[in-house]
Amino acid sequence: MSNNTKKWFSLNLGTRHKKSSDSCGCGKTSGGCNSHSELSDQEFFDAAVNASIGEEVHKDGFDQVFDVKMNRRNAFKKLTASLLIGAGAVSTSCSTFASGESKEKAQIDWEEQFKGNYKLMTDEEKEATVNRLVRSYQLRTGKTISMSSKNAQKDVLYGYAFNISKCQGYMDCVTACVEENNQDRNSQMQYIRIHEMKDGKGFNFNEADDNYYHEVPAEGHFYMGTQCFHCDNPPCVDVCPVQATWREDDGLVVIDYDWCVGCRYCMAACPYDGRRFNWSKPEVPEEEMNKNQHYLGNRMRKKGVMEKCTFCVQRSREGKNPACVEACPTGARIFGNLLDPNSTIRWVLENKKVFRLKEDLGTEPKFWYFMD
């Protein structure tokens, strides 16, 4: 077996790819200003944490909400929304005519407005915000949804492989993804794209047809799918000014929709066109809504935030394949745990000649392509 088939082993699994520095922040190298000797080990550690991820780790949701860097327009909108929600909550709680459910909903709105960043929440706080959202939906619609806050499992790192030889361009995967992840029907948002390319032209995305409306497979063409590649070193995470997107321990790159400010920096930074911005509030008919949800996955989003493939976190963390994998009629899609030596994806990576798009960028996408 050639070494080229083992490129995936170069992944620095579980790391954050942050550059280390010998500077203490004073402009001199470590120890140069004698400041380190004045701090205890714990104090120095706390200072280092604050310098790298900010003091918000010690702050509650209220402080986090108003410490987010934003322009004056967004700050005014945030303050106005908070004041309106607060005024409504006070008015409802003081009204002798308000029902118990109205007061409960007002309290939920108030608590949701000032919750912190999901990645900084404790497990108890995660469960509390999920329970609030489930209860809020029940109060608004009289119906029930199931929402999970399940964390990444130990010794799991998700990866994906796509067999170009088998894909016939049927787009069953796209349909399944839309339905599974409660994507907006009005704008026809799609996380997955299937590119129809001409034989002999190579992987020329500029000339590919992504919106074909004819019988497939078309003679003289081949098909290739793209989506979020869940990079091990994701540039989208580095550019987010409010830490609304991050890489989880199981390799999933996720978004806290309630923390996203819609700046679209991550969309510009992604070299794979894997992110989508919703210009309007996603609309899904009640009878078509998938009510099995995850906070970081297919729950209903608000207007003006980023969305993308999450490898169906609501399914994958329950031991299931993403919807696109199950829907593919030709078996072109393979998903699994890269750390499991007996998984199908490990067999593919070890026995097939695989490649990844734009490997020279150092993003380390966990999405491989191969041909039979």
Side-chain angles (χ1 to χ4, degrees):
M1 185 188 306
S2 67
N3 291 332
N4 289 335
T5 62
K6 288 193 173 183
K7 285 185 177 180
W8 73 279
F9 281 110
S10 66
L11 279 173
N12 191 357
L13 308 181
T15 64
R16 294 290 185 250
H17 299 274
K18 297 297 183 185
K19 295 182 180 178
S20 61
S21 174
D22 294 331
S23 172
C24 67
C26 65
K28 300 181 181 180
T29 57
S30 178
C33 63
N34 296 321
S35 61
H36 296 165
S37 60
E38 299 174 3
L39 299 174
S40 68
D41 290 343
Q42 184 60 45
E43 288 172 333
F44 179 71
F45 174 78
D46 290 341
V49 170
N50 287 338
S52 62
I53 65 175
E55 293 181 354
E56 65 181 358
V57 71
H58 302 299
K59 298 175 181 177
D60 61 19
F62 185 90
D63 289 332
Q64 289 183 43
V65 167
F66 282 103
D67 279 352
V68 171
K69 294 179 181 179
M70 59 183 75
N71 59 36
R72 283 191 283 180
R73 174 177 292 184
N74 285 338
F76 180 75
K77 287 167 63 179
K78 174 69 72 174
L79 179 59
T80 301
S82 301
L83 290 173
L84 289 174
I85 290 174
V90 171
S91 175
T92 302
S93 64
C94 295
S95 173
T96 57
F97 300 102
S99 66
E101 288 189 351
S102 296
K103 292 180 180 180
E104 183 182 4
K105 186 177 184 306
Q107 180 65 28
I108 288 174
D109 291 343
W110 175 259
E111 292 177 1
E112 279 295 291
Q113 179 70 8
F114 294 110
K115 66 183 177 184
N117 190 321
Y118 188 82
K119 74 171 181 177
L120 300 179
M121 292 182 186
T122 64
D123 288 345
E124 291 74 19
E125 290 170 334
K126 291 177 181 178
E127 185 178 3
T129 192
V130 163
N131 289 339
R132 284 196 299 268
L133 292 175
V134 169
R135 180 57 177 160
S136 178
Y137 182 84
Q138 187 178 38
L139 291 172
R140 287 185 290 105
T141 67
K143 299 181 180 180
T144 303
I145 58 173
S146 172
M147 188 178 296
S148 171
S149 59
K150 189 171 185 178
N151 294 322
Q153 293 178 290
K154 186 179 179 181
D155 297 325
V156 172
L157 185 72
Y158 292 119
Y160 207 111
F162 188 97
N163 190 337
I164 299 173
S165 303
K166 287 188 174 181
C167 182
Q168 301 294 298
Y170 294 135
M171 289 199 178
D172 296 55
C173 53
V174 176
T175 301
C177 177
V178 169
E179 295 174 351
E180 173 69 29
N181 291 291
N182 293 321
Q183 294 169 41
D184 181 37
R185 304 302 199 259
N186 293 334
S187 64
Q188 297 183 335
M189 180 180 288
Q190 297 174 357
Y191 298 164
I192 297 175
R193 294 210 173 131
I194 303 297
H195 310 274
E196 184 180 72
M197 302 184 180
K198 292 182 179 180
D199 292 340
K201 292 278 189 176
F203 304 115
N204 192 335
F205 288 94
N206 291 329
E207 295 183 9
D209 186 358
D210 302 340
N211 297 289
Y212 48 87
Y213 295 96
H214 54 71
E215 186 176 349
V216 293
E219 185 177 355
H221 293 79
F222 68 95
Y223 300 86
M224 187 174 184
T226 58
Q227 56 203 72
C228 174
F229 291 165
H230 296 272
C231 302
D232 204 53
N233 186 26
C236 54
V237 170
D238 292 335
V239 301
C240 180
V242 294
Q243 300 185 61
T245 184
W246 64 92
R247 176 189 178 277
E248 293 266 282
D249 290 339
D250 56 6
L252 300 185
V253 177
V254 296
I255 303 171
D256 185 339
Y257 309 117
D258 292 334
W259 203 248
C260 176
V261 295
C263 66
R264 288 171 281 160
Y265 288 176
C266 61
M267 189 176 187
C270 177
Y272 305 109
D273 189 30
R275 292 190 170 233
R276 307 286 180 263
F277 182 73
N278 60 14
W279 293 93
S280 60
K281 182 180 179 181
E283 298 291 341
V284 180
E286 179 67 29
E287 65 275 9
E288 297 179 15
M289 182 182 295
N290 180 4
K291 295 181 172 61
N292 294 316
Q293 304 173 7
H294 192 286
Y295 187 92
L296 296 174
N298 60 339
R299 68 185 177 101
M300 294 303 298
R301 279 74 68 189
K302 61 184 180 180
K303 173 184 176 180
V305 299
M306 298 307 306
E307 303 183 30
K308 68 177 195 66
C309 158
T310 65
F311 281 167
C312 288
V313 59
Q314 67 278 359
R315 295 174 59 90
S316 56
R317 287 189 179 170
E318 296 297 333
K320 302 177 182 178
N321 279 324
C324 55
V325 175
E326 286 200 354
C328 180
T330 62
R333 295 174 173 270
I334 297 170
F335 177 81
N337 181 9
L338 295 170
L339 303 184
D340 179 2
N342 297 316
S343 63
T344 304
I345 192 167
R346 277 286 294 269
W347 185 90
V348 169
L349 296 179
E350 293 172 0
N351 293 278
K352 296 290 186 177
K353 189 173 182 179
V354 299
F355 67 93
R356 296 178 291 182
L357 293 180
K358 302 182 180 180
E359 285 194 283
D360 56 307
L361 298 179
T363 58
E364 297 285 4
K366 291 189 289 298
F367 196 107
W368 288 264
Y369 294 94
F370 68 100
M371 289 175 276
D372 291 332

mmCIF file with all atom_site columns, all heavy atoms in Angstrom, residues 303-315:
data_model
loop_
_atom_site.group_PDB
_atom_site.id
_atom_site.type_symbol
_atom_site.label_atom_id
_atom_site.label_alt_id
_atom_site.label_comp_id
_atom_site.label_asym_id
_atom_site.label_entity_id
_atom_site.label_seq_id
_atom_site.pdbx_PDB_ins_code
_atom_site.Cartn_x
_atom_site.Cartn_y
_atom_site.Cartn_z
_atom_site.occupancy
_atom_site.B_iso_or_equiv
_atom_site.pdbx_formal_charge
_atom_site.auth_seq_id
_atom_site.auth_comp_id
_atom_site.auth_asym_id
_atom_site.auth_atom_id
_atom_site.pdbx_PDB_model_num
ATOM 1   N N   . LYS A 1 303 ? -34.513 34.412 11.685 1.00 0.00 ? 303 LYS A N   1
ATOM 2   C CA  . LYS A 1 303 ? -34.087 35.128 10.485 1.00 0.00 ? 303 LYS A CA  1
ATOM 3   C C   . LYS A 1 303 ? -32.707 35.737 10.675 1.00 0.00 ? 303 LYS A C   1
ATOM 4   O O   . LYS A 1 303 ? -32.351 36.198 11.754 1.00 0.00 ? 303 LYS A O   1
ATOM 5   C CB  . LYS A 1 303 ? -35.103 36.231 10.169 1.00 0.00 ? 303 LYS A CB  1
ATOM 6   C CG  . LYS A 1 303 ? -34.705 37.172 9.033  1.00 0.00 ? 303 LYS A CG  1
ATOM 7   C CD  . LYS A 1 303 ? -35.731 38.276 8.881  1.00 0.00 ? 303 LYS A CD  1
ATOM 8   C CE  . LYS A 1 303 ? -35.303 39.280 7.810  1.00 0.00 ? 303 LYS A CE  1
ATOM 9   N NZ  . LYS A 1 303 ? -36.292 40.373 7.655  1.00 0.00 ? 303 LYS A NZ  1
ATOM 10  N N   . GLY A 1 304 ? -31.912 35.714 9.593  1.00 0.00 ? 304 GLY A N   1
ATOM 11  C CA  . GLY A 1 304 ? -30.654 36.444 9.580  1.00 0.00 ? 304 GLY A CA  1
ATOM 12  C C   . GLY A 1 304 ? -29.486 35.737 10.235 1.00 0.00 ? 304 GLY A C   1
ATOM 13  O O   . GLY A 1 304 ? -28.616 36.403 10.801 1.00 0.00 ? 304 GLY A O   1
ATOM 14  N N   . VAL A 1 305 ? -29.442 34.399 10.168 1.00 0.00 ? 305 VAL A N   1
ATOM 15  C CA  . VAL A 1 305 ? -28.318 33.667 10.745 1.00 0.00 ? 305 VAL A CA  1
ATOM 16  C C   . VAL A 1 305 ? -27.765 32.670 9.730  1.00 0.00 ? 305 VAL A C   1
ATOM 17  O O   . VAL A 1 305 ? -28.385 32.379 8.713  1.00 0.00 ? 305 VAL A O   1
ATOM 18  C CB  . VAL A 1 305 ? -28.727 32.916 12.036 1.00 0.00 ? 305 VAL A CB  1
ATOM 19  C CG1 . VAL A 1 305 ? -29.216 33.887 13.085 1.00 0.00 ? 305 VAL A CG1 1
ATOM 20  C CG2 . VAL A 1 305 ? -29.795 31.861 11.742 1.00 0.00 ? 305 VAL A CG2 1
ATOM 21  N N   . MET A 1 306 ? -26.584 32.142 10.036 1.00 0.00 ? 306 MET A N   1
ATOM 22  C CA  . MET A 1 306 ? -25.951 31.164 9.163  1.00 0.00 ? 306 MET A CA  1
ATOM 23  C C   . MET A 1 306 ? -26.513 29.772 9.439  1.00 0.00 ? 306 MET A C   1
ATOM 24  O O   . MET A 1 306 ? -26.865 29.442 10.569 1.00 0.00 ? 306 MET A O   1
ATOM 25  C CB  . MET A 1 306 ? -24.437 31.151 9.385  1.00 0.00 ? 306 MET A CB  1
ATOM 26  C CG  . MET A 1 306 ? -23.742 32.463 9.068  1.00 0.00 ? 306 MET A CG  1
ATOM 27  S SD  . MET A 1 306 ? -24.076 33.121 7.419  1.00 0.00 ? 306 MET A SD  1
ATOM 28  C CE  . MET A 1 306 ? -23.643 31.731 6.390  1.00 0.00 ? 306 MET A CE  1
ATOM 29  N N   . GLU A 1 307 ? -26.551 28.962 8.387  1.00 0.00 ? 307 GLU A N   1
ATOM 30  C CA  . GLU A 1 307 ? -26.955 27.562 8.486  1.00 0.00 ? 307 GLU A CA  1
ATOM 31  C C   . GLU A 1 307 ? -25.999 26.722 7.653  1.00 0.00 ? 307 GLU A C   1
ATOM 32  O O   . GLU A 1 307 ? -25.311 27.241 6.774  1.00 0.00 ? 307 GLU A O   1
ATOM 33  C CB  . GLU A 1 307 ? -28.379 27.358 7.969  1.00 0.00 ? 307 GLU A CB  1
ATOM 34  C CG  . GLU A 1 307 ? -29.444 28.175 8.648  1.00 0.00 ? 307 GLU A CG  1
ATOM 35  C CD  . GLU A 1 307 ? -30.831 27.841 8.118  1.00 0.00 ? 307 GLU A CD  1
ATOM 36  O OE1 . GLU A 1 307 ? -31.037 26.679 7.703  1.00 0.00 ? 307 GLU A OE1 1
ATOM 37  O OE2 . GLU A 1 307 ? -31.693 28.723 8.110  1.00 0.00 ? 307 GLU A OE2 1
ATOM 38  N N   . LYS A 1 308 ? -25.983 25.419 7.930  1.00 0.00 ? 308 LYS A N   1
ATOM 39  C CA  . LYS A 1 308 ? -25.145 24.518 7.135  1.00 0.00 ? 308 LYS A CA  1
ATOM 40  C C   . LYS A 1 308 ? -25.372 23.070 7.551  1.00 0.00 ? 308 LYS A C   1
ATOM 41  O O   . LYS A 1 308 ? -26.078 22.807 8.520  1.00 0.00 ? 308 LYS A O   1
ATOM 42  C CB  . LYS A 1 308 ? -23.666 24.869 7.299  1.00 0.00 ? 308 LYS A CB  1
ATOM 43  C CG  . LYS A 1 308 ? -23.131 24.592 8.685  1.00 0.00 ? 308 LYS A CG  1
ATOM 44  C CD  . LYS A 1 308 ? -21.654 24.883 8.757  1.00 0.00 ? 308 LYS A CD  1
ATOM 45  C CE  . LYS A 1 308 ? -21.063 24.281 10.004 1.00 0.00 ? 308 LYS A CE  1
ATOM 46  N NZ  . LYS A 1 308 ? -21.117 22.793 9.980  1.00 0.00 ? 308 LYS A NZ  1
ATOM 47  N N   . CYS A 1 309 ? -24.749 22.170 6.812  1.00 0.00 ? 309 CYS A N   1
ATOM 48  C CA  . CYS A 1 309 ? -24.759 20.750 7.170  1.00 0.00 ? 309 CYS A CA  1
ATOM 49  C C   . CYS A 1 309 ? -24.087 20.550 8.520  1.00 0.00 ? 309 CYS A C   1
ATOM 50  O O   . CYS A 1 309 ? -23.047 21.154 8.800  1.00 0.00 ? 309 CYS A O   1
ATOM 51  C CB  . CYS A 1 309 ? -24.020 19.958 6.091  1.00 0.00 ? 309 CYS A CB  1
ATOM 52  S SG  . CYS A 1 309 ? -23.382 18.353 6.624  1.00 0.00 ? 309 CYS A SG  1
ATOM 53  N N   . THR A 1 310 ? -24.689 19.703 9.346  1.00 0.00 ? 310 THR A N   1
ATOM 54  C CA  . THR A 1 310 ? -24.099 19.349 10.641 1.00 0.00 ? 310 THR A CA  1
ATOM 55  C C   . THR A 1 310 ? -23.821 17.848 10.730 1.00 0.00 ? 310 THR A C   1
ATOM 56  O O   . THR A 1 310 ? -23.661 17.323 11.826 1.00 0.00 ? 310 THR A O   1
ATOM 57  C CB  . THR A 1 310 ? -25.035 19.756 11.800 1.00 0.00 ? 310 THR A CB  1
ATOM 58  O OG1 . THR A 1 310 ? -26.253 18.985 11.712 1.00 0.00 ? 310 THR A OG1 1
ATOM 59  C CG2 . THR A 1 310 ? -25.358 21.236 11.775 1.00 0.00 ? 310 THR A CG2 1
ATOM 60  N N   . PHE A 1 311 ? -23.737 17.176 9.567  1.00 0.00 ? 311 PHE A N   1
ATOM 61  C CA  . PHE A 1 311 ? -23.688 15.713 9.546  1.00 0.00 ? 311 PHE A CA  1
ATOM 62  C C   . PHE A 1 311 ? -24.882 15.163 10.328 1.00 0.00 ? 311 PHE A C   1
ATOM 63  O O   . PHE A 1 311 ? -24.785 14.127 10.984 1.00 0.00 ? 311 PHE A O   1
ATOM 64  C CB  . PHE A 1 311 ? -22.385 15.183 10.124 1.00 0.00 ? 311 PHE A CB  1
ATOM 65  C CG  . PHE A 1 311 ? -21.201 15.248 9.179  1.00 0.00 ? 311 PHE A CG  1
ATOM 66  C CD1 . PHE A 1 311 ? -19.909 15.048 9.652  1.00 0.00 ? 311 PHE A CD1 1
ATOM 67  C CD2 . PHE A 1 311 ? -21.375 15.511 7.828  1.00 0.00 ? 311 PHE A CD2 1
ATOM 68  C CE1 . PHE A 1 311 ? -18.816 15.102 8.792  1.00 0.00 ? 311 PHE A CE1 1
ATOM 69  C CE2 . PHE A 1 311 ? -20.283 15.578 6.962  1.00 0.00 ? 311 PHE A CE2 1
ATOM 70  C CZ  . PHE A 1 311 ? -18.998 15.378 7.453  1.00 0.00 ? 311 PHE A CZ  1
ATOM 71  N N   . CYS A 1 312 ? -26.009 15.881 10.259 1.00 0.00 ? 312 CYS A N   1
ATOM 72  C CA  . CYS A 1 312 ? -27.239 15.485 10.961 1.00 0.00 ? 312 CYS A CA  1
ATOM 73  C C   . CYS A 1 312 ? -26.935 15.127 12.416 1.00 0.00 ? 312 CYS A C   1
ATOM 74  O O   . CYS A 1 312 ? -27.119 13.981 12.843 1.00 0.00 ? 312 CYS A O   1
ATOM 75  C CB  . CYS A 1 312 ? -27.923 14.317 10.256 1.00 0.00 ? 312 CYS A CB  1
ATOM 76  S SG  . CYS A 1 312 ? -28.708 14.744 8.693  1.00 0.00 ? 312 CYS A SG  1
ATOM 77  N N   . VAL A 1 313 ? -26.460 16.113 13.172 1.00 0.00 ? 313 VAL A N   1
ATOM 78  C CA  . VAL A 1 313 ? -26.053 15.870 14.559 1.00 0.00 ? 313 VAL A CA  1
ATOM 79  C C   . VAL A 1 313 ? -27.153 15.204 15.374 1.00 0.00 ? 313 VAL A C   1
ATOM 80  O O   . VAL A 1 313 ? -26.877 14.396 16.274 1.00 0.00 ? 313 VAL A O   1
ATOM 81  C CB  . VAL A 1 313 ? -25.609 17.197 15.225 1.00 0.00 ? 313 VAL A CB  1
ATOM 82  C CG1 . VAL A 1 313 ? -26.723 18.219 15.220 1.00 0.00 ? 313 VAL A CG1 1
ATOM 83  C CG2 . VAL A 1 313 ? -25.110 16.957 16.645 1.00 0.00 ? 313 VAL A CG2 1
ATOM 84  N N   . GLN A 1 314 ? -28.404 15.488 15.041 1.00 0.00 ? 314 GLN A N   1
ATOM 85  C CA  . GLN A 1 314 ? -29.527 14.876 15.759 1.00 0.00 ? 314 GLN A CA  1
ATOM 86  C C   . GLN A 1 314 ? -29.618 13.382 15.479 1.00 0.00 ? 314 GLN A C   1
ATOM 87  O O   . GLN A 1 314 ? -30.225 12.638 16.243 1.00 0.00 ? 314 GLN A O   1
ATOM 88  C CB  . GLN A 1 314 ? -30.848 15.563 15.390 1.00 0.00 ? 314 GLN A CB  1
ATOM 89  C CG  . GLN A 1 314 ? -31.319 15.379 13.961 1.00 0.00 ? 314 GLN A CG  1
ATOM 90  C CD  . GLN A 1 314 ? -30.647 16.326 12.973 1.00 0.00 ? 314 GLN A CD  1
ATOM 91  O OE1 . GLN A 1 314 ? -29.818 17.152 13.336 1.00 0.00 ? 314 GLN A OE1 1
ATOM 92  N NE2 . GLN A 1 314 ? -31.030 16.223 11.707 1.00 0.00 ? 314 GLN A NE2 1
ATOM 93  N N   . ARG A 1 315 ? -29.010 12.923 14.401 1.00 0.00 ? 315 ARG A N   1
ATOM 94  C CA  . ARG A 1 315 ? -28.994 11.503 14.063 1.00 0.00 ? 315 ARG A CA  1
ATOM 95  C C   . ARG A 1 315 ? -27.638 10.863 14.417 1.00 0.00 ? 315 ARG A C   1
ATOM 96  O O   . ARG A 1 315 ? -27.585 9.799  15.012 1.00 0.00 ? 315 ARG A O   1
ATOM 97  C CB  . ARG A 1 315 ? -29.251 11.319 12.561 1.00 0.00 ? 315 ARG A CB  1
ATOM 98  C CG  . ARG A 1 315 ? -30.620 11.765 12.099 1.00 0.00 ? 315 ARG A CG  1
ATOM 99  C CD  . ARG A 1 315 ? -30.739 11.674 10.567 1.00 0.00 ? 315 ARG A CD  1
ATOM 100 N NE  . ARG A 1 315 ? -30.513 10.319 10.097 1.00 0.00 ? 315 ARG A NE  1
ATOM 101 C CZ  . ARG A 1 315 ? -31.477 9.407  9.955  1.00 0.00 ? 315 ARG A CZ  1
ATOM 102 N NH1 . ARG A 1 315 ? -32.729 9.726  10.235 1.00 0.00 ? 315 ARG A NH1 1
ATOM 103 N NH2 . ARG A 1 315 ? -31.192 8.198  9.524  1.00 0.00 ? 315 ARG A NH2 1
#
